[in-house]
Amino acid sequence: MKRTTILSLALLLSMPMMAQRTTSISLNPAEAKDKINKEIYGQFAEHLGTCIYGGLWVGPESSIPNTNGYRNDVLQALKDIKVPVMRWPGGCFADEYHWMDGIGPKENRPRMVNNNWGGTVEDNSFGTHEFLNLCEMLGCEPYVSMNMGSGSPEETAKWVEYMTAKDGPMAKLRKQNGREEPWKVKYIGVGNESWGCGGNMRIEYYSDLYRRYSTYCREFNGNRLYKIASGASDYDYNWTEVAMKQIGNRMNGLSLHYYTCYTWNGSKGSATNFNKDQYYWTIAKCGVGIEEVLKKHIAIMDEYDPRNHVKLLVDEWGTWWDEEPGSVRGHLYQQNTMRDAMVAAVSLNTFHQYTKRIGMTNIAQIANVLQSMVLTKGDKMVLTPTYYVFKMYTDNMEAINIPLYTISDTFKAENEQKGSPERVAPYVSASASKAKDGTVNINLANADLDNSNKVTIDLATIKGKIQKATILTSKDMKDHNTFEKPNVVAPANFKGATIKDGNKK
Ligand code: AHR
């Protein structure tokens, strides 16, 4: 018999233990067939606030310990979560970025105003070489977003040539700038949020432009490109429909952006100061809320592409709260609590279920921006609760999703915003997968703030022993890590998991 092991992850927020709920889950290993694309664990790094400068990059002259300019603490943290793919340079920034400003001797690189993000002056010291070399160091795929908003097809064509051609004028320029061999670049984004900051286009117009720009993204010396069209925001199903009709197989992937914030009008809600209603509403929005949206976009894609050639890429998702008081306006710096950890776990559990169509997702963003993995300040770095969820979930990458059925008590979530739908969501969210070596991973997230939950899992034909069980929990939903107290929220071994009757736990 193959070694079969259970990894159990529970995210328990409850502390008073007033009562105990029960949940039953049945695994269906007989139906396990879809691989959880490792790219679902993708990251996003934009020239925004201190994501790049200060977050990833401090420059080789910095007193902060670094390797060729990349800060060592962040490098190690990212290696530990096995980042599979990183999207760059934006976001909205991408559609104002001129890549030629970011190559060559640093002292000659022109400056620009980062109009989208606080009007900060960008010195272009982090450019194509710095990004692609970082991806090589991390062993992750680069995902480069082209400037379709204010750039030209020629600029796009030359960038692809510069990065991936062996010979020719752009390769010559690259070699002059110190890089002999082309990089391997697979993922190319053609515009970003083209319905908004990327040019305020209608999908009909965007589709034609996509066809034009993508034509000149050439494949050099065997480098296969995976071309991604700028997709819908949240509930814009018409965008997906027209893109599928007009672009079809000319794209390999179509993106979708889905953020979780309390309201877009005025305050988005505080990252650290929220009440129970707001907490539950957030969990429902990123769980049943995102599932509903995924289902609808996927249904449209299924209709136009029944053979599943074009993938859905949720290349921006996560929580978007008000900026931290005292931080620079427009830099989207926010703290990260147990609530954010729960959002990450519930969203990832949901993405696993749709991995057949979902080719990639990229949480926004990797450092110091929105729902980040790490926060940095000078030479200090803290790992966020969200980071730990990514770490606990790494074993799911490239494992086969095991369908499951969950019976859990539910909660009702309302947003005080007029017109916002009331959602009913389960307290316990789960997913399971089977890795190549036979290890079975079970991921559980219990959103209940007041009650513990006894989860019984029918493992069906799976037999084995528990190898590792990890829990991320804290006393309060608002708990978070700070530079002064970096270990308030951290994973621990979980001792409460047992196997009974051979296959029930
Ligand atoms: O992630 C922050 C911003 O959110 C991105 O730049 C943009 O694409 C989206 O609106």
Side-chain angles (χ1 to χ4, degrees):
M1 194 190 71
K2 265 193 150 180
R3 186 173 61 96
T4 308
T5 330
I6 312 300
L7 161 76
S8 160
L9 155 69
L11 289 163
L12 304 171
L13 289 184
S14 57
M15 9 76 212
M17 304 265 180
M18 282 168 1
Q20 188 177 58
R21 293 182 193 276
T22 55
T23 295
S24 57
I25 297 175
S26 314
L27 301 196
N28 188 355
E31 292 295 316
K33 51 182 185 304
D34 299 323
K35 192 180 71 183
I36 298 175
N37 302 310
K38 63 177 186 312
E39 291 80 6
I40 282 182
Y41 287 82
Q43 297 287 338
F44 172 31
E46 179 166 8
H47 287 243
L48 196 180
T50 52
C51 182
I52 303 286
Y53 301 108
L56 300 174
W57 174 258
V58 284
E61 316 302 335
S62 173
S63 59
I64 297 172
N66 69 84
T67 306
N68 304 332
Y70 310 100
R71 46 188 305 159
N72 290 343
D73 48 3
V74 175
L75 272 182
Q76 191 53 52
L78 298 180
K79 281 182 187 160
D80 291 346
I81 54 168
K82 303 183 179 152
V83 175
V85 57
M86 202 188 308
R87 180 171 182 249
W88 173 87
C92 295
F93 178 80
D95 280 298
E96 293 197 32
Y97 181 62
H98 298 288
W99 69 271
M100 283 215 181
D101 294 348
I103 56 169
K106 303 230 163 160
E107 59 281 10
N108 298 342
R109 297 187 189 180
R111 292 168 165 250
M112 69 177 280
V113 177
N114 192 335
N115 293 308
N116 286 288
W117 306 120
T120 306
V121 175
E122 159 72 51
D123 71 0
N124 277 307
S125 56
F126 189 96
T128 302
H129 290 246
E130 289 74 20
F131 172 64
L132 295 177
N133 291 343
L134 171 63
C135 290
E136 281 188 343
M137 286 171 87
L138 293 175
C140 75
E141 296 274 0
Y143 169 3
V144 182
S145 279
M146 300 282 145
N147 177 351
M148 192 208 230
S150 65
S152 66
E154 186 190 2
E155 190 181 5
T156 301
K158 284 185 170 162
W159 199 4
V160 176
E161 189 178 326
Y162 185 88
M163 293 187 286
T164 61
K166 256 197 157 72
D167 298 306
M170 287 300 108
K172 191 173 165 205
L173 183 58
R174 183 191 68 233
K175 289 174 192 177
Q176 279 166 10
N177 288 331
R179 172 77 186 201
E180 190 61 30
E181 286 304 309
W183 290 278
K184 192 181 153 286
V185 178
K186 178 175 170 186
Y187 298 106
I188 294 290
V190 185
N192 166 74
E193 294 196 350
S194 302
W195 41 262
C197 63
N200 282 304
M201 302 177 205
R202 294 169 308 115
I203 178 59
E204 290 77 9
Y205 179 67
Y206 170 79
S207 300
D208 282 344
L209 272 197
Y210 172 92
R211 291 159 73 125
R212 180 173 175 219
Y213 274 67
S214 62
T215 302
Y216 304 103
C217 295
R218 307 284 190 197
E219 295 182 332
F220 296 93
N221 33 270
N223 182 63
R224 296 303 304 271
L225 295 178
Y226 184 106
K227 298 176 189 171
I228 300 154
S230 168
S233 165
D234 308 86
Y235 316 101
D236 186 354
Y237 304 110
N238 178 58
W239 187 280
T240 298
E241 172 126 31
V242 179
M244 291 303 290
K245 248 194 263 180
Q246 304 294 339
I247 304 176
N249 278 349
R250 285 185 171 85
M251 60 187 166
N252 301 100
L254 177 60
S255 83
L256 169 69
H257 290 180
Y258 186 93
Y259 282 102
T260 295
C261 61
Y262 202 55
T263 151
W264 288 106
N265 304 329
S267 167
K268 295 182 177 65
S270 162
T272 49
N273 188 14
F274 48 89
N275 60 34
K276 280 187 179 182
D277 288 345
Q278 290 169 326
Y279 164 86
Y280 280 121
W281 181 86
T282 304
I283 305 308
K285 169 112 189 337
C286 74
V288 291
I290 201 170
E291 181 160 23
E292 189 186 304
V293 167
L294 290 173
K295 273 186 181 162
K296 288 190 178 163
H297 287 287
I298 290 173
I300 296 166
M301 296 177 84
D302 285 347
E303 193 186 329
Y304 289 93
D305 175 35
R307 293 196 170 172
N308 196 21
H309 288 308
V310 181
K311 299 295 179 194
L312 182 64
L313 277 70
V314 191
D315 61 11
E316 289 186 28
W317 67 273
T319 54
W320 190 324
W321 307 124
D322 290 341
E323 296 173 296
E324 278 305 299
S327 65
V328 180
R329 292 305 86 182
H331 281 195
L332 311 189
Y333 179 83
Q334 69 187 40
Q335 248 300 351
N336 197 299
T337 64
M338 274 304 295
R339 175 176 64 167
D340 296 274
M342 191 61 71
V343 166
V346 172
S347 303
L348 290 168
N349 286 342
T350 310
F351 295 146
H352 288 179
Q353 312 308 316
Y354 296 90
T355 186
K356 190 171 168 203
R357 182 65 80 170
I358 299 182
M360 185 192 297
T361 88
N362 308 74
I363 189 167
Q365 297 193 7
I366 199 162
N368 295 331
V369 169
L370 302 178
Q371 191 178 351
S372 59
M373 300 294 116
V374 298
L375 298 173
T376 64
K377 186 168 137 194
D379 63 354
K380 293 200 176 81
M381 178 199 74
V382 289
L383 304 172
T384 64
T386 298
Y387 173 88
Y388 287 122
V389 174
F390 271 68
K391 185 142 186 235
M392 290 159 84
Y393 271 53
T394 49
D395 292 336
N396 293 286
M397 292 191 214
E398 301 294 278
I400 306 294
N401 181 54
I402 303 175
L404 45 73
Y405 184 71
T406 306
I407 302 174
S408 159
D409 286 346
T410 54
F411 60 88
K412 244 192 221 162
E414 277 178 282
N415 184 325
E416 70 222 9
Q417 276 245 298
K418 233 171 125 195
S420 170
E422 181 187 276
R423 294 191 174 95
V424 177
Y427 282 110
V428 173
S429 143
S431 68
S433 66
K434 186 170 184 174
K436 263 200 189 128
D437 66 357
T439 303
V440 171
N441 310 298
I442 298 180
N443 316 292
L444 301 171
N446 177 19
D448 198 333
L449 292 171
D450 296 312
N451 306 292
S452 62
N453 205 308
K454 185 172 181 194
V455 181
T456 307
I457 304 172
D458 186 340
L459 300 170
T461 52
I462 299 166
K463 291 201 163 43
K465 61 179 172 42
I466 295 167
Q467 185 191 53
K468 166 172 90 164
T470 314
I471 184 167
L472 188 70
T473 187
S474 200
K475 286 208 177 74
D476 196 283
M477 61 185 178
K478 300 177 195 164
D479 280 351
H480 54 275
N481 295 332
T482 62
F483 299 106
E484 295 70 37
K485 289 187 179 165
N487 300 314
V488 173
V489 181
N493 287 334
F494 180 61
K495 297 201 178 75
T498 51
I499 294 203
K500 278 191 201 150
D501 306 336
N503 61 356
K504 286 209 175 59
K505 122 176 152 43

